[in-house]
C-alpha cells in the first residue's frame, strides 16, 4: 500500500524535478513542472485532496505557464472525480447506517394523523394511549420530515412555563429554548382539575435537551418546568427511554433525508465533472 505523501516528500520531488529539467533545456518553468508532477504523484497515491492543494499553489504561483496549467486543469478534474467518489462512498455508508436504525426503531412508533390535522407525527406507541392533556409531563414526537419536537403539559401548578430543563445529578443540566406565551405554541386554559399549560418546543428549541437525555438514557432525569416559578418532576425510566429512542429515530430520519438529497446533488456534480474532464482532455491533446 502506498504511504501518504508528505509535504517533505513533495519538496524532495520538486528538487529532483528541478535538477532534471535544468539539464534538458525545457522551455517550461522547472518549478511549475515540479509542482505538477508532485500533484500527479499525490493523485496516483490516492490523495486527491493533497493533489488539489498543490494544483491551487501551481495556479497561484505560475499563472503564465499556459501549457503546464492546461495539464493541471485536467489533473484537477481527475482529482475532483476522486473526491466525488470518496464522498459518494461516505454517503452510501451513512444511508446504510441510518436505514438500519430506522428499521430497528420504526416498529416502536405509531403514526398519528386525524382528520383535523394538517400534518401527522410519529409517537412511541406506548405513549399513544395515555394522552398528554390528561397528565403533567412531556411527550416526544417526530414530524413527517423527521424533526423531533416536545409537547409539555403542566396541570394544577400555574407556573406560566416557557422553557424546560433536564438535569442529571453529577452530570449537568440542559434547557430548551424559550417559547413565549402566544396562544398557539404556548397556551393555557382552565380545566376541571385546575389550570393547564401546554407548550410545544420545536426542533430548534428542544433538540439539545433531547440529545442530552439520549446520551444519558440510563440515568435518573429531573425535568423542570421553568416560568414565573419552577416546578420539577422525575421522569420515569420508560419516558427517558422513549425520549432517547425518539431522538435516535429522528436523527436517523434527518440524516437519511440529507444524505439522499446530497447524493442527488453529487450525481449532478459528477456529470458536470465528466464534461469538464472531457473538455480539458481535448485541450492537452
Amino acid at each position: 500500500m502506498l504511504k501518504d505523501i508528505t509535504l517533505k516528500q513533495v519538496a524532495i520531488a520538486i528538487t529532483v524535478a528541478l535538477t532534471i529539467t535544468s539539464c534538458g533545456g525545457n522551455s517550461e518553468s522547472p518549478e511549475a513542472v515540479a509542482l505538477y508532477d508532485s500533484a500527479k504523484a499525490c493523485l496516483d497515491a490516492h490523495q486527491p485532496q493533497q493533489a488539489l492543494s498543490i494544483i491551487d499553489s501551481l495556479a497561484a504561483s505560475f499563472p503564465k505557464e499556459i501549457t503546464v496549467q492546461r495539464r493541471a486543469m485536467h489533473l484537477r478534474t481527475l482529482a475532483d472525480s476522486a473526491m466525488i467518489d470518496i464522498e459518494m462512498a461516505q454517503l452510501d455508508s451513512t444511508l446504510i447506517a441510518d436505514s438500519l436504525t430506522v428499521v430497528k426503531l420504526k416498529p416502536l412508533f405509531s403514526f398519528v394523523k386525524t382528520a383535523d390535522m394538517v400534518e401527522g407525527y410519529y409517537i412511541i406507541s406506548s405513549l399513544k394511549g395515555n394522552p398528554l392533556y390528561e397528565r403533567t409531563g412531556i411527550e416526544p414526537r417526530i414530524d413527517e420530515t423527521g424533526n423531533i419536537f416536545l409537547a409539555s403539559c403542566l396541570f394544577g401548578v400555574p407556573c406560566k412555563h416557557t422553557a424546560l430543563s433536564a438535569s442529571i445529578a453529577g452530570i449537568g443540566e440542559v434547557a430548551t429554548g424559550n417559547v413565549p406565551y402566544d396562544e398557539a405554541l404556548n397556551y393555557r386554559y382552565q380545566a376541571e382539575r385546575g389550570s393547564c399549560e401546554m407548550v410545544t418546543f420545536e426542533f430548534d428549541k428542544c433538540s439539545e435537551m433531547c440529545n442530552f437525555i439520549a446520551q444519558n438514557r440510563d440515568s435518573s432525569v429531573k425535568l423542570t418546568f421553568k416560568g414565573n416559578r419552577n416546578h420539577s418532576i422525575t421522569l420515569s425510566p420508560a419516558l427517558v427511554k422513549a425520549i432517547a429512542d425518539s431522538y435516535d429515530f429522528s436523527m436517523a430520519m434527518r440524516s437519511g433525508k440529507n444524505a439522499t438529497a446530497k447524493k442527488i446533488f453529487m450525481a449532478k456534480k459528477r456529470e458536470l465533472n465528466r464534461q469538464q474532464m472531457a473538455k480539458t482532455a481535448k485541450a492537452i491533446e
Side-chain angles (χ1 to χ4, degrees):
M1 182 179 292
L2 288 169
K3 296 181 179 179
D4 288 349
I5 293 179
T6 65
L7 292 177
K8 183 178 180 180
Q9 289 172 312
V10 170
I12 293 171
I14 291 174
T15 301
V16 172
L18 285 173
T19 302
I20 294 172
T21 54
S22 64
C23 299
N26 195 327
S27 61
E28 296 176 346
S29 164
E31 294 92 339
V33 172
L35 280 172
Y36 173 84
D37 289 342
S38 295
K40 188 176 185 305
C42 285
L43 186 58
D44 291 341
H46 308 292
Q47 298 176 44
Q49 187 64 63
Q50 180 82 337
L52 288 169
S53 296
I54 297 173
I55 292 169
D56 287 339
S57 296
L58 173 58
S61 301
F62 301 97
K64 295 182 180 180
E65 291 292 326
I66 305 302
T67 303
V68 180
Q69 291 293 352
R70 284 176 179 168
R71 294 203 301 274
M73 287 175 63
H74 182 62
L75 191 64
R76 182 186 294 276
T77 65
L78 300 178
D80 285 339
S81 178
M83 291 295 294
I84 291 170
D85 289 342
I86 291 171
E87 189 158 2
M88 289 291 267
Q90 292 171 342
L91 290 171
D92 286 338
S93 296
T94 297
L95 282 170
I96 291 171
D98 292 336
S99 296
L100 291 174
T101 300
V102 169
V103 168
K104 175 185 175 183
L105 293 177
K106 193 169 185 179
L108 303 178
F109 291 82
S110 296
F111 185 69
V112 177
K113 187 174 185 180
T114 58
D116 60 337
M117 294 171 62
V118 177
E119 293 184 353
Y121 61 86
Y122 293 92
I123 183 172
I124 291 284
S125 298
S126 60
L127 298 177
K128 187 179 178 183
N130 187 17
L132 182 64
Y133 58 81
E134 295 181 358
R135 58 188 167 85
T136 289
I138 60 173
E139 190 171 271
R141 302 171 180 175
I142 302 168
D143 67 25
E144 294 184 40
T145 62
N147 294 316
I148 190 170
F149 64 100
L150 290 177
S152 67
C153 182
L154 181 58
F155 258 116
V157 187
C159 293
K160 297 182 178 179
H161 77 285
T162 60
L164 304 170
S165 71
S167 58
I168 299 172
I171 296 180
E173 179 179 11
V174 175
T176 66
N178 191 58
V179 180
Y181 175 70
D182 61 359
E183 297 186 352
L185 293 177
N186 184 332
Y187 65 95
R188 305 159 192 156
Y189 63 92
Q190 197 68 27
E192 291 183 4
R193 294 169 53 193
S195 64
C196 180
E197 304 173 6
M198 297 199 73
V199 183
T200 298
F201 297 90
E202 296 182 320
F203 179 83
D204 64 323
K205 302 291 186 181
C206 75
S207 61
E208 185 177 351
M209 190 182 85
C210 291
N211 179 45
F212 175 70
I213 293 172
Q215 294 299 319
N216 299 280
R217 64 189 70 203
D218 295 324
S219 302
S220 176
V221 180
K222 182 177 77 172
L223 179 77
T224 300
F225 298 82
K226 304 173 76 70
N228 290 349
R229 62 189 179 111
N230 294 343
H231 177 71
S232 297
I233 63 173
T234 299
L235 299 182
S236 69
L239 183 53
V240 171
K241 183 178 184 303
I243 294 170
D245 287 342
S246 297
Y247 181 79
D248 290 345
F249 189 45
S250 169
M251 292 301 101
M253 289 177 67
R254 283 170 54 87
S255 177
K257 288 179 182 292
N258 289 339
T260 299
K262 187 67 180 292
K263 280 199 70 173
I264 294 172
F265 170 78
M266 293 302 295
K268 294 178 180 178
K269 187 174 181 179
R270 173 176 278 167
E271 180 57 33
L272 179 60
N273 171 256
R274 285 171 177 166
Q275 294 173 13
Q276 293 172 335
M277 197 183 299
K279 181 183 291 187
T280 55
K282 287 184 178 180
I284 60 175
E285 288 179 352

